[in-house]
Amino acid sequence: MLVILAIGGWHLTHILPFTPVGTTEVPAAELDFGSDQTTLKVLTANISYTNDHYTELLATIRREDPDLLLLIEVDRAWAEGMAPLDEHYAHRVGEVRGEGLGLVLWSRFPLLEQEVKHLVSDRRPSIFATLDVPGIGPVRFVGAHPVPPGLQDRILSNEKTDDRRDSRVRDAELMLIARHVEKDPDNRWIIAGDFNDVAWSDTTRLFADLGDLKDPRRGRRLLNTYHAEYPLWRYPIDHLFVTDGFHLIDLDRVKVQGSDHFGISTTLTEAIKDQGKPEASAEDEQAVEEMVEEGAEDAAEHNVSSSEEGETESK
């Protein structure tokens, strides 16, 4: 019984910060309905590339009507199924790939800068874009889908083995994204995607600390997103983090028909940006350096080039 209570208490310490008992990191917005206050709505969803509910997802997107839409695991069939989105979004950037590796961002706002980066693995794209948001100004956005631990490995001949990958490549990619934020603290940032990591892990904590990134779920809701079909086996692995300069209007989970993930809908508004930024500790900086080096070594030891070339999407 004592062991059960101890385990329950340990889990509770991870969950409580993501309930109203915890402290909020992103303040709630005080809406003035008589003003022309600018809002920014972001919808992120891992759609599951084996899914074929294209029509249902289009209906969900039209109902949610986000300003930014990040879809994860976009292959060629999904890119064709989502073609009607081009009538509603003037801007698009990303990479269409098979095997759950594609990543595409649609934006209502102009893209001042856009780039698809492969930070650690040639098989894993990340989207870096600078949005020109009216009433707010430039907003830096990163969409990511790092490799999940436990994924079946490949040897250099591109044949699968019985071995399973650990978390080193994922951790390195998250640290490299956080370093981009750390080096550019004067801009507003939004980092979103399927991190394949829970919100309370040491890696996610270090990622947030390094970039001074805030989690809008803290002090509000846990928002477990995976696995959508199994309520008792459900964890928060889909994330959206922001830097100072945003207040939260709304945060909710969205059903994605046919996917094993829920989507996340986040509505933000402008706040006065805090110019102060705490420096990462020497210990954290050392841990980040080790994660990046280990991830690079692991990627070099394995076959991270794809047998299927990705297709860059932009307009």
Side-chain angles (χ1 to χ4, degrees):
M1 178 62 71
L2 289 176
V3 173
I4 293 174
L5 290 174
I7 294 173
W10 181 79
H11 282 288
L12 195 61
T13 61
H14 291 89
I15 294 171
L16 281 178
F18 298 90
T19 72
V21 174
T23 302
T24 57
E25 290 188 342
V26 181
E30 296 182 4
L31 288 177
D32 183 355
F33 293 100
S35 71
D36 56 352
Q37 188 173 19
T38 299
T39 62
L40 173 58
K41 185 173 184 179
V42 185
L43 176 61
T44 66
N46 184 324
I47 54 180
S48 299
Y49 72 101
T50 56
N51 180 13
D52 62 0
H53 291 265
Y54 313 120
T55 302
E56 291 90 338
L57 181 60
L58 287 171
T60 298
I61 293 167
R62 287 172 181 144
R63 183 182 68 248
E64 293 292 328
D65 193 27
D67 299 303
L68 299 179
L69 170 67
L70 178 69
L71 296 185
I72 300 163
E73 299 199 4
V74 179
D75 60 9
R76 177 46 50 194
W78 268 103
E80 293 173 358
M82 295 296 101
L85 292 176
D86 291 342
E87 300 175 9
H88 303 278
Y89 296 95
H91 310 279
R92 181 187 68 239
V93 60
E95 189 169 282
V96 174
R97 300 184 72 116
E99 301 179 2
L101 302 171
L103 195 67
V104 180
L105 172 71
W106 284 264
S107 174
R108 188 163 283 147
F109 306 121
L111 303 179
L112 302 174
E113 299 175 327
Q114 59 186 53
E115 184 178 3
V116 175
K117 295 178 181 286
H118 300 86
L119 296 171
V120 182
S121 168
D122 291 341
R123 294 170 54 83
R124 291 277 167 176
S126 296
I127 296 171
F128 284 72
T130 302
L131 314 165
D132 185 11
V133 183
I136 294 180
V139 174
R140 303 292 303 276
F141 179 91
V142 181
H145 184 209
V147 61
L151 197 66
Q152 195 169 34
D153 207 349
R154 292 173 181 267
I155 58 177
L156 293 178
S157 64
N158 208 38
E159 296 177 358
K160 291 183 179 179
T161 73
D162 292 331
D163 295 332
R164 299 284 170 172
R165 302 297 296 275
D166 58 27
S167 68
R168 288 179 291 173
V169 172
R170 178 203 65 191
D171 296 348
E173 183 168 334
L174 290 175
M175 294 308 110
L176 289 170
I177 291 171
R179 276 186 167 174
H180 277 83
V181 181
E182 181 189 32
K183 293 175 181 177
D184 186 14
D186 294 331
N187 271 309
R188 292 179 171 88
W189 288 80
I190 299 173
I191 317 295
D194 173 5
F195 286 12
N196 285 303
D197 193 24
V198 293
W200 54 78
S201 76
D202 289 341
T203 298
T204 301
R205 179 202 62 79
L206 186 56
F207 161 83
D209 287 349
L210 183 64
D212 195 26
L213 292 156
K214 318 296 183 186
D215 188 340
R217 293 167 300 188
R218 284 186 173 268
R220 293 184 173 93
R221 303 172 58 190
L222 190 59
L223 280 185
N224 292 326
T225 56
Y226 176 87
H227 193 289
E229 301 302 321
Y230 307 118
L232 296 180
W233 181 30
R234 192 174 287 171
Y235 302 94
I237 66 173
D238 298 272
H239 305 277
L240 183 140
F241 286 86
V242 299
T243 54
D244 286 331
F246 292 107
H247 283 178
L248 182 70
I249 294 175
D250 186 56
L251 178 66
D252 205 358
R253 196 169 61 183
V254 177
K255 175 66 177 177
V256 179
Q257 191 68 34
S259 176
D260 52 3
H261 289 246
F262 286 96
I264 295 180
S265 173
T266 311
T267 306
L268 304 160
T269 190
E270 182 185 26
I272 297 175
K273 193 174 185 301
D274 182 3
Q275 296 301 319
K277 178 188 182 302
E279 295 292 332
S281 68
E283 291 80 5
D284 281 353
E285 290 285 4
Q286 180 62 32
V288 169
E289 189 67 30
E290 291 173 359
M291 284 184 178
V292 172
E293 290 179 359
E294 290 175 2
E297 290 172 1
D298 186 58
E301 290 171 3
H302 298 83
N303 182 17
V304 296
S305 60
S306 177
S307 57
E308 176 184 348
E309 292 298 324
E311 302 174 44
T312 299
E313 294 278 311
S314 64
K315 66 170 187 173

